[in-house]
Amino acid sequence: MKIFIAGASGAIGSHLVSQLVARGHEVVGTTRSAAKTGALRALGAEPVVVDALDPDSVADVVAKAEPEVIVHQLTALGGPPDFRHAKRMAAATNRLRTEGTDHLLAAARAVGVRRFVAQSNAMWMERAGAPVADENGRIEPNPPADAAEAVAALRHLEAAVTGISWADGIALRYGGFYGPGTGLSAAPDAVMTEQVRRRKFPIVGGGGGVWSLVHITDAASATVAAIERGRRGIYHVADDDPAPVREWLPVLARAVGAKPPRRVPAWLVRLVAGEGPVDLMTRTPGISSEKIKRELGWTPRYPTWRTGFVEGLK
């Protein structure tokens, strides 16, 4: 198939391009930076530079590509781990999940795309639901005020994509990424790994938030499965071992040669960083990926972070 990947130079994009090309697909991949076109070309994709928030530019590049499938992996996440940059990246990502989604959907409809696959996120599943949620679970209806825009953007993306009638609209709720090209890897510039090594990624409160994690190559292979044979709706994508922060974070610290993480009272983090981070570290439920395994035959290479942290960070 001819596949158009919006956000092909991002954390999951490069892995996705490689896997799709290896399976014989023709890939057109977008980037915001002309400096990244060479890397995309080396992976086997046809690179295009586009501003995803410009509807005319998006319509033009999609019309020229004439893809059968569009994959929406646009975010603005990455960069220095300071509060000012984090706020800016979050705001930009929210626009990409709202305006960017709408622009891509309009362009997709105009050229007759038959499948549209988009990146969602499982970190904001409903807090009052099951400890491990399946796809029947919903996005948290009453998030903290400082997370409301981000959660609303996820809700917009999922509703817009799965609500189309002219193609199979698929939203993938990914767990937390780790592995090469992500902020949690063995690379010297990996932001989250550096925070762990400097003991700036603490266990907040009781550390009871249940995180579902997924190695980046497994996230990409699940996306390939959705591209090739997915059906309209939502699929969860994570490993088989959801676990509270207090359990997986010390294991991660050992894996990257760091001292054990600090423990910080929730009230202090709430005072410094807001309610949203506290909520993520203390109340997040995990997710089950049984649906995508059952329906699409997906099998993760790293079914648990316990081996993934040891074998898959490089």
Side-chain angles (χ1 to χ4, degrees), residues 87-203:
K87 286 187 68 176
R88 188 181 304 131
M89 289 186 294
T93 297
N94 293 342
R95 290 190 67 194
L96 290 170
R97 286 174 172 161
T98 52
E99 298 170 48
T101 298
D102 293 345
H103 300 336
L104 282 169
L105 284 171
R109 185 171 189 174
V111 299
V113 162
R114 61 187 179 87
R115 185 166 290 143
F116 190 105
V117 180
Q119 177 187 142
S120 186
N121 185 297
M123 296 299 291
W124 285 104
M125 296 298 294
E126 185 173 13
R127 284 12 185 177
V132 177
D134 63 18
E135 288 79 0
N136 292 319
R138 60 178 180 168
I139 299 293
E140 171 57 41
N142 298 298
D146 55 343
E149 290 187 13
V151 176
L154 288 173
R155 194 177 291 112
H156 174 94
L157 179 147
E158 291 191 2
V161 170
T162 61
I164 58 177
S165 59
W166 40 269
D168 283 324
I170 299 169
L172 300 178
R173 288 178 181 158
Y174 296 105
F177 293 154
Y178 70 95
T182 73
L184 180 48
S185 72
D189 60 346
V191 173
M192 186 173 169
T193 303
E194 180 63 14
Q195 288 181 309
V196 172
R197 287 182 176 137
R198 296 172 66 183
R199 304 185 81 192
K200 290 188 175 183
F201 194 110
I203 297 172

